[in-house]
Amino acid sequence: MTALLAAGSVWLAPRSRESGDVSTRFHESAADARCLNRHSMVKLADVFDNVMPWLSSVGASAAAADYDNDGFADLYVTNSGRSDLNRLFHNENDGTFTDVTADAGVGCGNPEGASMHAIFGDVDNDGDLDLYVLKWAEANQLFRNDGGKFTDVSRDAGVDYWGYANGATFLDYDRDGRIDILVGNYFAETIEDPATGQRVRNNLWNPVSTRVMHETFTHASNGGRNVFYRNLSDAAGIRFEEVTESVGLTHTGWTLSVGSGDLNNDGWPDLYVANDFGPDEYYLNTGATEQPPRFRLVVDPRGHPGVGNDWWKGMNVDMGDVNNDGYLDIYVTNILERRYKTDEGNMLWLNCADAVCPGGRGFRNVAQESGTIDGGWGWGGKFADFNNDGLLDVFTVNGFVTGDPNHNYWFAIQEMVTQTKNQTADARDWPVMGTRELSGHEPSRLFIQQPPSEPRTALLGAKGRGSAGAGAHGSLAAPRFVESAIASGITDTYNGRGIALADFNHDGYVDIYVANQGAPSSFYVNQTGPRDKRTTQPSAAGTKEMAGFLWLRLVGRPDAPSNVAGRTLASSADAAGARATLWTATGRQMREVQGGMGFASQSEYALHFGIPDTAAVDRLEVWWPSGRTQTFDREAVGRMLNHHVRLSEGGGEVIPP
């Protein structure tokens, strides 16, 4: 038996979740599975050596996607060192991976700058996933996928943006059946040349000035502009146009990650932008009321843009329905140093409707009461049901700079922050980091959600999804989590960055791949449940044998648009923005197809539903961005259970992987 499959041995020992000792189990298998990558770090110009550990702390990303349509998720990871290649690992379906970077043509390298992140999406609707690689001080690269072979089409497609891209997401913001791109940028792409007074490219490898840092720690607006591309691709080729300003995205914060999801259930994808050194930004899509759509910044009553009065250090965003009420909630990682401060931390924004949330803004931060606030110096964070109990859990990675633990850089930062004269913008004014530590040597966090004290039975409103203001929420009580990483076998203390989640070995459980900063990657194979669980679901005859999981890959039909209220709408081939809702005896689970989400992270496009032994399945409902809906009864769903299936729009065809 191969390494990956062997790692999936049965784990049956019941443990107490309340103590943090849980039956959820993982085994680190990167070397055995042959998907080990040691991230190479950025090295900028020597004039930044005093803060080089700070400036070089990014660039380790991971993306999971089935790029060759064989039904198994593959891996793409980035490296940031000069002349070092990114790597594509092909899943061999036997528990191992093969490095196919050279053959596929996606190594990229870093001849002038550095690779930071990558996401997959089907930009030309040909049925396979293309690849977009984000760069620092180099043009971003879009690779068209033709049967597993990739070609760089960035310049012709119009998406070769030069700047300091850290995050991106694919979304179909206007529901025309073609996925668009939001790119989040960090450093400003131009800077004033002190010698001429003119704005020139801000090249951190060949700088004209050292005034490249954030102007404040809490309200910096001198970062890079974010860029939005509308997809205009047709039979003639892949083409995008930049529409950033016309869609309402004009802020210049220090963006670390972006996410997209339909947060108000009106059928149109909204945006969350996580910013360092300033407030985050929450944008509602106006597609329900105006065409072409725009994004409207939501401002809270206290004047802060974004969802909530955040801690001005937004690192990561992820979205998922954490309390199973049919609305997406938001998880944002921030910074918490328990030894030196107690008033910050991660944020779990519970989506609770404008009418009942404090301030009338639709979200309530429940991180403290839910037990998910302490993620250390948080980076990537992801929702997933790791134990197949039907409840979303949260996995986060952390750590900034690992050095001498007896000499902490935090005190130098605190001294700089409290100076009367603001000196943060010029890198020369920063204290020397040297070998001092800043939040290194911390393990990751695995927050396992506990079952609610009473069933969550709230239904979507009578108007249904796609109608503005539709929907009734369930309990506003915070879900409850227990931190269980070490007890579950996740014990490394690397500085984690990007997270890729997938069922890589098709055993029904979510596995975890982590790209670590300047360190080997971690591949945690989920060993939680029995591997021989193959049962039938309730049929019309009333049998009650229980299921374990469903993995659902949705396939849209961009060639089959529909007319909704006089508008022509279509779904993209990768079904970005589509939703599936699984109804069971204990409630429902809702999942939305996401085109990349969070800091340096992308999970596979397939939607995962864990099904506890007490939950008989009733039906599956699928909503497509075209406006179509499909419903599958318990008998039809029963045939899908405990399998990975592909479901095509319209015809109801279930295609084995």
Side-chain angles (χ1 to χ4, degrees):
M1 187 176 291
T2 62
L4 187 58
L5 296 178
S9 57
V10 176
W11 182 273
L12 295 174
R15 307 285 182 95
S16 169
R17 290 180 178 172
E18 287 296 325
S19 66
D21 189 13
V22 298
S23 59
T24 308
R25 292 292 299 177
F26 292 88
H27 178 71
E28 206 292 307
S29 306
D32 290 341
R34 304 196 315 229
C35 57
L36 182 67
N37 179 71
R38 177 176 282 276
H39 172 255
S40 61
M41 298 178 63
V42 170
K43 173 63 171 71
L44 307 176
D46 292 346
V47 295
F48 301 119
D49 279 352
N50 60 314
V51 286
M52 191 64 69
W54 184 297
L55 296 180
S56 65
S57 62
V58 291
S61 78
D66 180 13
Y67 80 93
D68 60 348
N69 285 331
D70 66 352
F72 286 77
D74 312 293
L75 278 165
Y76 188 81
V77 296
T78 58
N79 287 298
S80 308
R82 185 58 59 88
S83 301
D84 288 319
L85 299 179
N86 305 329
R87 303 176 75 181
L88 176 63
F89 293 104
H90 178 260
N91 191 335
E92 297 297 329
N93 314 342
D94 64 358
T96 66
F97 294 79
T98 299
D99 188 336
V100 296
T101 308
D103 188 54
V106 290
C108 295
N110 303 300
E112 299 176 355
S115 297
M116 287 290 132
H117 184 24
I119 57 172
F120 287 90
D122 191 357
V123 300
D124 55 358
N125 282 329
D126 67 347
D128 51 24
L129 296 172
D130 311 294
L131 177 66
Y132 193 46
V133 181
L134 309 179
K135 299 291 194 78
W136 273 15
E138 282 188 51
N140 296 340
Q141 292 180 272
L142 177 63
F143 293 90
R144 184 186 67 232
N145 184 353
D146 293 310
K149 306 291 185 180
F150 292 82
T151 303
D152 187 346
V153 297
S154 318
R155 180 170 297 180
D156 290 342
V159 293
D160 55 339
Y161 173 82
W162 191 102
Y164 291 87
N166 267 353
T169 185
F170 286 118
L171 69 155
D172 186 2
Y173 92 107
D174 53 2
R175 292 169 61 183
D176 67 351
R178 296 172 291 196
I179 54 171
D180 315 294
I181 312 174
L182 171 62
V183 179
N185 292 289
Y186 198 66
F187 293 97
E189 66 264 43
T190 64
I191 192 171
E192 182 178 310
D193 185 344
T196 65
Q198 302 297 311
R199 303 285 301 183
V200 297
R201 275 188 171 180
N202 180 20
N203 192 329
L204 298 182
W205 280 263
N206 187 26
V208 299
S209 171
T210 53
R211 291 189 62 82
V212 300
M213 306 294 283
H214 46 95
E215 58 197 359
T216 79
F217 273 94
T218 58
H219 291 83
S221 59
N222 63 329
R225 68 184 185 95
N226 296 334
V227 179
F228 194 89
Y229 294 107
R230 184 186 179 208
N231 194 336
L232 302 176
S233 302
D234 53 24
I238 300 174
R239 242 173 357 105
F240 289 80
E241 66 170 345
E242 187 191 331
V243 293
T244 308
E245 292 189 9
S246 65
V247 299
L249 302 177
T250 59
H251 287 213
T252 53
W254 292 71
T255 299
L256 282 172
S257 70
V258 296
S260 171
D262 183 6
L263 292 165
N264 61 351
N265 279 15
D266 68 350
W268 298 86
D270 311 302
L271 300 176
Y272 190 98
V273 179
N275 293 321
D276 210 355
F277 315 121
D280 294 346
E281 299 162 36
Y282 166 40
Y283 294 91
L284 283 175
N285 190 321
T286 66
T289 57
E290 66 175 337
Q291 294 292 320
R294 292 173 49 84
F295 293 103
R296 176 176 61 84
L297 180 66
V298 179
V299 179
D300 80 12
R302 295 157 291 196
H304 295 281
V307 175
N309 186 10
D310 76 349
W311 301 122
W312 309 294
K313 302 173 187 65
M315 312 285 276
N316 170 93
V317 56
D318 197 38
M319 301 177 189
D321 183 9
V322 75
N323 60 348
N324 288 343
D325 69 347
Y327 282 73
L328 291 174
D329 310 295
I330 306 172
Y331 192 71
V332 181
T333 62
N334 285 269
I335 299 171
L336 182 63
E337 279 273 5
R338 286 291 191 190
R339 292 171 293 176
Y340 309 116
K341 57 181 184 177
T342 60
D343 60 341
E344 300 188 6
N346 296 347
M347 311 191 98
L348 177 55
W349 293 106
L350 195 68
N351 195 334
C352 54
D354 290 349
V356 294
C357 273
R361 291 172 38 256
F363 292 86
R364 185 170 74 92
N365 180 23
V366 298
Q368 180 72 56
E369 54 195 289
S370 69
T372 58
I373 190 171
D374 187 359
W377 196 296
W379 293 89
K382 286 288 188 185
F383 289 113
D385 180 2
F386 291 108
N387 54 9
N388 281 0
D389 66 351
L391 301 173
L392 289 181
D393 313 302
V394 179
F395 176 72
T396 71
V397 294
N398 61 55
F400 193 26
V401 177
T402 295
D404 182 354
N406 296 315
H407 296 85
N408 200 293
Y409 193 67
W410 186 255
F411 299 108
I413 295 177
Q414 294 289 70
E415 183 179 4
M416 182 170 55
V417 171
T418 57
Q419 289 176 349
T420 56
K421 181 181 179 181
N422 189 348
Q423 295 178 317
T424 61
D426 197 326
R428 293 175 300 181
D429 295 328
W430 283 57
V432 176
M433 290 196 73
T435 60
R436 287 186 282 188
E437 176 154 308
L438 189 56
S439 197
H441 296 102
E442 286 198 47
S444 301
R445 308 291 200 268
L446 176 62
F447 301 105
I448 298 295
Q449 187 176 172
Q450 307 301 287
S453 57
E454 45 187 58
R456 298 164 178 157
T457 58
L459 306 179
L460 289 173
K463 294 182 180 179
R465 186 168 187 272
S467 301
H473 290 265
S475 172
L476 300 181
R480 189 167 52 93
F481 296 80
V482 171
E483 202 294 301
S484 309
I486 293 177
S488 299
I490 301 173
T491 60
D492 74 81
T493 57
Y494 296 130
N495 294 326
R497 295 297 183 263
I499 300 169
L501 304 181
D503 182 11
F504 291 102
N505 59 355
H506 277 210
D507 67 356
Y509 288 82
V510 179
D511 308 304
I512 303 171
Y513 190 93
V514 180
N516 295 306
Q517 174 69 24
S521 53
S522 302
F523 182 37
Y524 288 104
V525 178
N526 196 327
Q527 297 183 292
T528 298
R531 299 300 185 256
D532 58 351
K533 195 174 189 177
R534 295 291 183 269
T535 61
T536 59
Q537 253 300 269
S539 66
T543 59
K544 289 187 176 293
E545 297 179 27
M546 299 299 110
F549 64 87
L550 169 63
W551 284 85
L552 189 66
R553 175 70 185 274
L554 300 180
V555 181
R557 292 283 309 279
D559 59 338
S562 63
N563 187 287
V564 179
R567 300 175 180 173
T568 299
L569 304 176
S571 308
S572 63
D574 57 17
R579 282 190 174 185
T581 302
L582 182 69
W583 295 86
T584 74
T586 57
R588 61 148 174 244
Q589 300 174 53
M590 184 273 290
R591 305 287 185 262
E592 183 173 295
V593 179
Q594 299 172 343
M597 183 86 72
F599 182 83
S601 302
Q602 184 176 37
S603 299
E604 67 171 315
Y605 275 84
L607 304 178
H608 170 236
F609 300 88
I611 306 170
D613 290 346
T614 57
V617 167
D618 180 58
R619 67 189 186 277
L620 174 71
E621 299 173 352
V622 180
W623 179 92
W624 302 88
S626 65
R628 296 187 178 92
T629 59
Q630 292 172 263
T631 300
F632 301 86
D633 62 21
R634 64 176 58 188
E635 189 170 356
V637 178
R639 292 193 293 270
M640 305 181 196
L641 292 176
N642 292 312
H643 294 288
H644 288 244
V645 299
R646 293 165 63 92
L647 178 63
S648 64
E649 180 181 5
E653 179 188 10
V654 177
I655 310 168

